[in-house]
Amino acid sequence: MSEIIANSLEELYSKIEKDYGPNWWLTYHIDINEKPDGKIVAKLTPISELKVSDKTISQIKLPEEIDAKKISQENFEKLLEEHSEPKIDVSISEDKMEAFLTIIPGLVKEVPTYEELIKALKDAGIKAGIDKNAIEKIVKEKITLKPVIVARGVAPTPSKDATLEFLFPKDGISISNDSESFERKFNIFTCKKDDILVKKNPPLYGKPGYNVLGETIPATAPEDINLNLYTGKNTRLSEDGTKILSDVNGQPYISSDGKVNVREILVIEGNLTYETYQTKIIDFPGTIWIKGNVEGDFKLVSKKDIYIDGILSGGFNLQANESVIVKKGIFGRGIGKLEAEKNVIAKFINETIILAGNEVKTGEYIMNSTIVAKNNVIVSGKGLIIGGEISAGYSIITKTLGNFSGIKTSLRVGINFEYQKRYTELNFKLSMNFKKLSELSLAYKRILDLLRSTENKKEKEKLSLTIIKINHAKNKIINDMRKIKTAITALKIERYREKITQNAYVLASEECFPGVVIQIYDETIKIQDKLGPTLFTLSKKSGKIVSRPYKSWKG
């Protein structure tokens, strides 16, 4: 007996056909149950191993008996003759690496001879990896109604593609996971002229194999890498073609076209003030690195990253084509604005307008700010979001939302999509067909046992006709199930589109205070009572916002 676990009946059916072939129903009995977590468990038992009592059979509705009056003796004898000899089913795995023999016992002769089985394999084109011991065992032990592996191919040894070893962080920013200090967590990675930036590991060829049809399976040719295609601005190829070197001192990074570049960095030592830098506008094609604080209404524009070691404050306007990192936090004073096409990372954010093309991350808090992130807003450390409006396409994650004074704190996640398509009816039909197959397999085994034990000619004829009818019924059911599976697969495409919008959430891992307003898609709730750790999601069942583990909001 073997067990298969799936999330749906459609998935279960696909797994059974993949593992046991399209004719699995001829040789296996199936029992299906649903676990408490909703997963579906199927137990498949070879029909040859079933033990079925008359009591069990009496509870199963068998196919209607064929009216003997409607069948001529000649046709009946023809039907009986068709099922008197054992049938040999030769199946080959999809990759041609395994061959199976399944014997359907005849009503007169139970199993074929060794020679007949060898011939069947030969007729099926199987030439290599034949297991003669397995074939002899089928004949000797009369193994029926059970697929037996009788040939195996030998897979080729996998080749190994050339690989690249990057000796720098691909975005030019090194992140220390060991540092507890937020200020020391993010650092600009720099290199010197002639430093090795990338190494190439050469490709390795594998050894060929063969399948059960005797066909040679060549090892897949490994992919080589032309490093010259990866050299970008301020880099060059080594003489042996296996390394990429830097031509200048600067910050290595990978551009959107996959090339390795080194950007020259604008470094401002100390604080950026009017006294130390005689302009209010800095527009630089590379990374801007300020090793102190930035205070005032400066406009900083970078085609790469903006990196500030100190505090950013005042009526600033920052624009970066990639990310902005502020080690010691941001005081926008209600007028400071910051825009990055990728991420914004800061120790804290206060009274600031931020637009991020990916994520906003802080190490302490966000207070009285307007934040818009395409994907996520994540507040670690103290984990406070107090006041302001926070919007994210996917999730907002923090420890505490709002405060005891009830300050209005608005949070929005997700966008609207169509409601989930209904497919319950198809799943129900698939479930019923599985049940019918299970019952017919039990009946088939019991009647087969009775056929083998009786000597009464009329009884043999009656039982033989019933077996034929059962097999016809099973075949009809399996064809219906294939149609249902195809229909469910088509529906899954539309369900997937909707599923993308069904996962947005807001998480307060410690506290959520009154005054907090949460919006998920078109649904909005206002928190009336102080809550502990709470996860807010949109219920797929009701379409309303629900909080876990405490209560469901009525909206």
Side-chain angles (χ1 to χ4, degrees):
M1 182 179 68
S2 58
E3 187 174 275
I4 294 179
I5 299 176
N7 293 313
S8 66
L9 289 172
E10 179 267 340
E11 180 185 343
L12 174 66
Y13 185 84
S14 296
K15 285 186 175 183
I16 293 174
E17 281 213 329
K18 179 181 178 182
D19 294 346
Y20 296 94
N23 294 326
W24 61 271
W25 52 276
L26 285 172
T27 53
Y28 284 93
H29 166 259
I30 186 169
D31 272 322
I32 297 178
N33 292 290
E34 186 172 342
K35 298 174 71 175
D37 61 2
K39 291 189 179 294
I40 298 169
V41 180
K43 294 182 179 179
L44 282 85
T45 305
I47 292 177
S48 58
E49 298 177 8
L50 292 174
K51 294 181 181 180
V52 187
S53 66
D54 288 330
K55 182 179 179 181
T56 302
I57 292 297
S58 67
Q59 298 173 353
I60 297 174
K61 184 179 180 181
L62 298 177
E64 295 179 4
E65 297 293 343
I66 298 176
D67 190 344
K69 295 179 181 179
K70 296 180 181 180
I71 301 177
S72 66
Q73 184 63 29
E74 180 182 349
N75 288 337
F76 172 73
E77 290 177 358
K78 185 178 179 180
L79 280 173
L80 199 58
E81 182 181 350
E82 289 178 359
H83 293 81
S84 63
E85 292 292 316
K87 289 182 171 55
I88 304 172
D89 180 66
V90 180
S91 60
I92 301 173
S93 61
E94 187 176 353
D95 60 3
K96 302 180 184 179
M97 295 303 289
E98 291 181 333
F100 302 83
L101 278 176
T102 303
I103 308 303
I104 309 301
L107 300 177
V108 177
K109 180 181 176 182
E110 190 167 359
V111 295
T113 64
Y114 175 85
E115 291 74 19
E116 289 171 332
L117 294 178
I118 290 292
K119 183 178 183 302
L121 292 178
K122 182 178 179 182
D123 292 344
I126 297 169
K127 302 175 182 177
I130 295 175
D131 185 349
K132 294 182 178 180
N133 291 331
I135 298 172
E136 289 174 351
K137 184 176 180 181
I138 291 173
V139 177
K140 183 178 179 181
E141 299 182 10
K142 295 184 177 181
I143 301 174
T144 62
L145 303 173
K146 179 180 180 181
V148 178
I149 298 178
V150 293
R152 288 185 173 89
V154 174
T157 303
S159 298
K160 293 184 178 180
D161 295 339
T163 58
L164 298 182
E165 184 179 353
F166 293 87
L167 305 181
F168 64 94
K170 295 181 181 181
D171 61 356
I173 305 296
S174 63
I175 300 176
S176 172
N177 293 322
D178 298 328
S179 176
E180 294 183 1
S181 170
F182 191 86
E183 293 94 324
R184 298 179 181 178
K185 190 175 182 67
F186 301 94
N187 295 282
I188 289 181
F189 185 93
T190 59
C191 64
K192 295 180 180 179
K193 186 177 184 298
D194 298 327
D195 277 356
I196 299 173
L197 302 177
V198 180
K199 292 181 181 179
K200 182 179 83 168
N201 299 313
L204 298 175
Y205 282 81
K207 296 181 180 179
Y210 58 85
N211 60 32
V212 295
L213 301 180
E215 300 168 338
T216 299
I217 306 174
T220 304
E223 295 286 339
D224 199 1
I225 297 174
N226 181 1
L227 265 187
N228 196 45
L229 299 176
Y230 290 82
T231 55
K233 185 177 180 180
N234 296 325
T235 62
R236 72 181 188 279
L237 205 60
S238 63
E239 291 184 4
D240 61 4
T242 64
K243 303 177 188 70
I244 294 178
L245 309 176
S246 175
D247 274 340
V248 297
N249 298 334
Q251 179 192 26
Y253 70 98
I254 296 178
S255 53
S256 59
D257 59 3
K259 293 182 180 291
V260 176
N261 309 272
V262 178
R263 62 171 68 110
E264 296 183 84
I265 304 173
L266 172 61
V267 179
I268 297 176
E269 299 289 344
N271 299 329
L272 176 61
T273 63
Y274 298 136
E275 288 77 17
T276 59
Y277 211 83
Q278 302 299 317
T279 179
K280 291 185 177 181
I281 301 175
I282 299 175
D283 191 336
F284 188 69
T287 293
I288 299 174
W289 183 5
I290 300 169
K291 293 188 174 181
N293 301 325
V294 176
E295 183 174 357
D297 55 350
F298 284 98
K299 180 176 182 180
L300 306 181
V301 180
S302 168
K303 296 297 187 293
K304 299 298 180 181
D305 301 303
I306 297 176
Y307 194 89
I308 300 172
D309 284 350
I311 291 175
L312 172 64
S313 63
F316 52 81
N317 184 347
L318 271 59
Q319 299 172 25
N321 282 17
E322 294 189 11
S323 296
V324 175
I325 297 176
V326 184
K327 280 191 172 185
K328 292 185 178 180
I330 305 172
F331 288 107
R333 299 175 185 172
I335 54 174
K337 182 182 178 182
L338 190 160
E339 184 174 355
E341 292 188 14
K342 290 187 178 180
N343 303 316
V344 174
I345 301 171
K347 186 174 183 179
F348 58 82
I349 300 171
N350 196 323
E351 295 184 316
T352 304
I353 300 170
I354 292 179
L355 306 175
N358 184 36
E359 293 186 332
V360 173
K361 296 181 179 180
T362 75
E364 289 189 359
Y365 65 84
I366 298 175
M367 185 177 293
N368 297 325
S369 297
T370 299
I371 308 289
V372 178
K374 184 176 181 180
N375 290 316
N376 308 301
V377 174
I378 302 171
V379 185
S380 56
K382 293 180 180 178
L384 305 175
I385 296 180
I386 302 172
E389 297 183 358
I390 315 297
S391 301
Y394 182 60
S395 70
I396 298 173
I397 301 172
T398 187
K399 291 181 179 178
T400 301
L401 293 173
N403 64 5
F404 63 89
S405 66
I407 185 173
K408 183 179 179 181
T409 305
S410 298
L411 303 103
R412 300 182 181 90
V413 291
I415 56 176
N416 292 315
F417 271 89
E418 296 179 356
Y419 289 104
Q420 182 174 333
K421 297 289 184 179
R422 182 173 61 90
Y423 62 96
T424 303
E425 185 176 354
L426 287 173
N427 273 298
F428 178 75
K429 289 180 180 178
L430 196 58
S431 175
M432 291 299 100
N433 280 333
F434 270 118
K435 183 178 180 181
K436 290 176 185 177
L437 276 181
S438 177
E439 292 177 344
L440 289 175
S441 296
L442 291 171
Y444 174 87
K445 179 55 169 62
R446 181 56 181 163
I447 293 170
L448 187 62
D449 290 343
L450 292 173
L451 181 63
R452 291 171 175 172
S453 62
T454 185
E455 298 297 331
N456 185 292
K457 184 179 179 180
K458 289 187 177 181
E459 187 66 19
K460 277 182 174 289
E461 292 175 355
K462 179 181 177 181
L463 293 171
S464 297
L465 287 172
T466 303
I467 284 178
I468 294 169
K469 190 68 178 288
I470 288 174
N471 281 333
H472 283 309
K474 290 174 73 175
N475 189 57
K476 184 178 179 181
I477 291 170
I478 212 71
N479 287 333
D480 187 45
M481 293 173 76
R482 287 171 182 154
K483 293 178 182 178
I484 294 172
K485 174 180 173 290
T486 300
I488 292 177
T489 300
L491 287 175
K492 283 181 68 177
I493 297 172
E494 294 187 12
R495 288 185 66 218
Y496 178 73
R497 291 196 192 110
E498 182 182 347
K499 185 178 180 182
I500 294 175
T501 72
Q502 292 293 324
N503 298 319
Y505 66 92
V506 175
L507 173 62
S509 62
E510 290 188 0
E511 293 177 300
C512 183
F513 287 90
V516 170
V517 178
I518 295 175
Q519 179 178 330
I520 304 179
Y521 312 119
D522 288 335
E523 294 297 315
T524 303
I525 59 169
K526 184 174 182 180
I527 308 304
Q528 303 294 341
D529 304 304
K530 181 181 176 183
L531 302 175
T534 308
L535 174 67
F536 299 92
T537 60
L538 194 69
S539 169
K540 293 181 181 180
K541 183 177 181 181
S542 67
K544 301 294 184 181
I545 295 177
V546 294
S547 59
R548 296 182 177 85
Y550 292 99
K551 59 185 175 179
S552 295
W553 294 92
K554 296 181 179 180

